Amino acid sequence: MAHISFDASALSKFVHDNELGEIQPLVTAADKELRDGTGAGNDFRGFLDLPVDYDKDEFSRIKAAAKKIQGNSEVFVAIGIGGSYLGAQAAIDFLNPNFYNQQKGRNVPEVYFAGNSISGNYLYDLVQLIGDRDFSINVISKSGTTTEPSIAFRVLKEKLIKKYGAAGAKERIFATTDRAKGALKTEADAEGYEEFVVPDDLGGRFSVLSAVGLLPIAVAGGDIDQLMQGAADARTEYSNPDVTKNDAYKYAALRNILYRKGYTTELLENYEPNLRLFGEWWKQLMGESEGKDQKGIYPSSANFTTDLHSLGQYIQEGLRNLMETVVKIDEAPHDVTIPSDDKNLDGLGYLADKKMSYVNDKAYHGVVMAHTDGGVPVMTVNVPKQDAYSLGYTIYFFEAAVAISGYLNGINPFNQPGVEAYKKNMFALLGRQGYEELTKELTARLNK
């Protein structure tokens, strides 16, 4: 029996009983493409077996490095963009208290992320926040030339050298990069940074269960053994192409059925604030995997009940192109009992002595009924607990689902050709060597 459960019962008015059976041959064919490596992007299927087929020696070094950082650093900064940080930050937020960086008495460093924007203001504030405290950094980049993390690495490396000297700084820089080539690999080899590998067969958005995500997660106190075990068990659970026996494939099939009926935007929703970054990770996973050839479900996210007070009206009565997937935690780490109040001026007497989790659960059920009545299909992924095992399981669920979903829609779910277009324009406008002709063209367009 699967550790997490997928509930599609609210789709009865949107998907007919026969439709899953009708799409099954396509799912079976997509599964064969994925498992046999005959589909597009077959060089990037490493996520399939990663939970069991990973470098055990490197895994041990990751845990040792995390312990070293925990012992000598008050602050840890992970430098990366896209898949090089989203999975790690989502996992750390999922596994820790909402205000973990402000909590006293934790035996781990404060954890921050840099290199995911070109905001000088953000990086300045981060440098000021670190101040004179002891810190270490993990620079995560396969090439070592991506603009955002490269800038942040320069700035934070300079701060390390000023504080510890060149030799001391090397002991506090950890590089996660390509196994054999690239600017960061060259620098790490020359300077003697401890190195971890971005596997060749993993796209960035599938890399959270590799060293890319594991080192930051371990530094923050996450149990990476249990994280990998959860993913390994999910790998076994989601290996059958039969959608009646494989919830990840069932989810992929249903969202494609709905997409073909005009539900072109999917909202991933949660009812716990520290799942907000999980939604950001999911958006990259789905959007970068499926948005190609003028096709694909547009991924968005919402945080309930918070966003019901801003997006609720649109979801309920706006354009009928939305479907919703809720990631629902069955048992949150902590709870609060609502106090009684004899005056009852706020009218909450009917909730006195009830747990907030009880109220949150009723809100979820009420929202599902309202939205389905309003013409919005809702699916739910029920996750038992906010622990590392459950997270690993859930990560694998969505990774397997998007691979099948991409093949069902006739696209390569593992490449991302469109992300280079804006980079070329940016490099040209910044005057990077080799872009001279494009610089002239774009400058002329700007000056019109």
Side-chain angles (χ1 to χ4, degrees):
M1 182 178 177
H3 179 69
I4 65 176
S5 64
F6 176 64
D7 181 4
S9 60
L11 295 186
S12 58
K13 64 182 287 187
F14 305 97
V15 178
H16 298 137
D17 292 340
N18 66 299
E19 290 186 86
L20 268 178
E22 296 293 341
I23 204 172
Q24 179 64 68
L26 299 179
V27 173
T28 301
D31 174 76
K32 185 171 176 59
E33 283 188 282
L34 180 64
R35 306 289 172 178
D36 293 351
T38 57
N42 53 63
D43 290 341
F44 289 92
R45 298 175 302 121
F47 80 94
L48 277 172
D49 296 323
L50 179 64
V52 295
D53 185 18
Y54 59 91
D55 186 332
K56 307 303 190 295
D57 290 336
E58 182 183 61
F59 193 80
S60 296
R61 288 198 301 112
I62 288 170
K63 291 195 284 188
K67 186 170 290 188
K68 175 183 176 181
I69 294 165
Q70 290 168 346
N72 69 9
S73 300
E74 297 169 85
V75 176
F76 171 77
V77 182
I79 302 171
I81 194 166
S84 295
Y85 93 98
L86 278 171
Q89 188 169 9
I92 291 169
D93 280 13
F94 185 101
L95 296 173
N96 284 287
N98 284 286
F99 308 105
Y100 56 87
N101 277 334
Q102 289 76 43
Q103 284 199 334
K104 304 299 182 184
R106 298 183 77 233
N107 296 319
V108 297
E110 295 173 19
V111 178
Y112 299 101
F113 294 84
N116 48 43
S117 75
I118 316 180
S119 169
N121 183 56
Y122 177 91
L123 197 53
Y124 174 88
D125 288 346
L126 177 59
V127 169
Q128 298 306 305
L129 178 65
I130 296 170
D132 196 41
R133 293 185 291 173
D134 288 318
F135 76 105
S136 298
I137 63 176
N138 175 206
V139 55
I140 307 162
S141 175
K142 193 165 179 64
S143 67
T145 58
T146 305
T147 305
E148 295 89 342
S150 295
I151 292 172
F153 182 41
R154 279 201 180 195
V155 172
L156 291 168
K157 178 172 61 175
E158 180 182 63
K159 182 174 175 64
L160 279 171
I161 292 171
K162 285 181 178 178
K163 182 173 176 61
Y164 300 106
K170 294 175 186 178
E171 295 298 312
R172 293 174 175 273
I173 298 173
F174 300 82
T176 305
T177 189
D178 190 86
R179 186 184 305 277
K181 63 183 186 298
L184 181 55
K185 170 65 177 174
T186 300
E187 178 175 343
D189 286 350
E191 299 295 336
Y193 307 149
E194 182 160 9
E195 298 178 39
F196 302 100
V197 174
V198 180
D200 291 334
D201 58 358
L202 286 181
R205 58 191 178 276
F206 291 90
S207 67
V208 61
L209 298 177
S210 73
V212 170
L214 292 178
L215 179 58
I217 293 167
V219 169
D223 186 339
I224 59 174
D225 289 294
Q226 281 297 297
L227 184 73
M228 297 303 283
Q229 187 61 56
D233 290 349
R235 171 182 172 271
T236 300
E237 181 68 28
Y238 303 131
S239 60
N240 191 326
D242 187 342
V243 296
T244 67
K245 298 176 181 177
N246 184 331
D247 279 346
Y249 284 18
K250 184 178 182 180
Y251 165 62
L254 287 169
R255 63 197 297 272
N256 271 271
I257 291 169
L258 291 167
Y259 172 64
R260 295 168 193 186
K261 295 184 178 187
Y263 299 98
T264 56
T265 295
E266 182 176 8
L267 283 171
L268 190 82
E269 299 158 355
N270 66 75
Y271 283 75
E272 292 294 339
N274 52 359
L275 268 66
R276 183 182 67 83
L277 261 295
F278 187 87
E280 297 301 308
W281 169 80
W282 176 89
K283 283 194 288 190
Q284 185 194 7
L285 178 70
M286 296 300 187
E288 202 166 71
S289 296
E290 295 192 297
K292 292 152 199 171
D293 301 329
Q294 290 75 55
K295 295 187 288 188
I297 300 167
Y298 179 79
S300 189
S301 62
N303 310 290
F304 288 172
T305 58
T306 305
D307 289 341
L308 288 171
H309 294 261
S310 55
L311 298 176
Q313 173 61 40
Y314 187 93
I315 296 171
Q316 190 68 41
E317 296 184 344
L319 189 65
R320 299 297 77 185
N321 67 335
L322 300 177
M323 64 175 108
E324 299 173 90
T325 299
V326 182
V327 176
K328 187 174 183 293
I329 305 298
D330 294 338
E331 183 182 339
H334 302 285
D335 208 348
V336 171
T337 300
I338 301 167
S340 59
D341 183 340
D342 291 340
K343 293 182 180 178
N344 196 34
L345 294 177
D346 54 15
L348 294 180
Y350 68 103
L351 297 179
D353 302 321
K354 288 185 170 60
K355 299 285 189 181
M356 285 186 69
S357 59
Y358 169 83
V359 181
N360 212 18
D361 182 66
K362 298 307 177 189
Y364 156 76
H365 287 291
V367 169
V368 170
M369 288 186 281
H371 287 182
T372 54
D373 288 347
V376 182
V378 182
M379 300 170 280
T380 302
V381 178
N382 293 290
V383 180
K385 294 182 178 180
Q386 278 181 242
D387 59 16
Y389 181 88
S390 299
L391 178 60
Y393 211 106
T394 306
I395 286 170
Y396 197 92
F397 171 92
F398 283 112
E399 289 181 342
V402 77
I404 292 299
S405 188
Y407 284 142
L408 285 176
N409 204 20
I411 55 95
N412 177 353
F414 301 114
N415 67 351
Q416 52 279 338
V419 300
E420 297 303 318
Y422 86 89
K423 292 181 183 179
K424 291 178 182 177
N425 288 351
M426 181 178 71
F427 293 152
L429 291 170
L430 289 170
R432 183 170 173 173
Q433 189 174 358
Y435 290 82
E436 289 80 8
E437 289 303 314
L438 184 57
T439 299
K440 293 178 184 177
E441 176 190 335
L442 296 179
T443 301
R445 287 170 61 181
L446 285 175
N447 293 332
K448 279 186 178 179

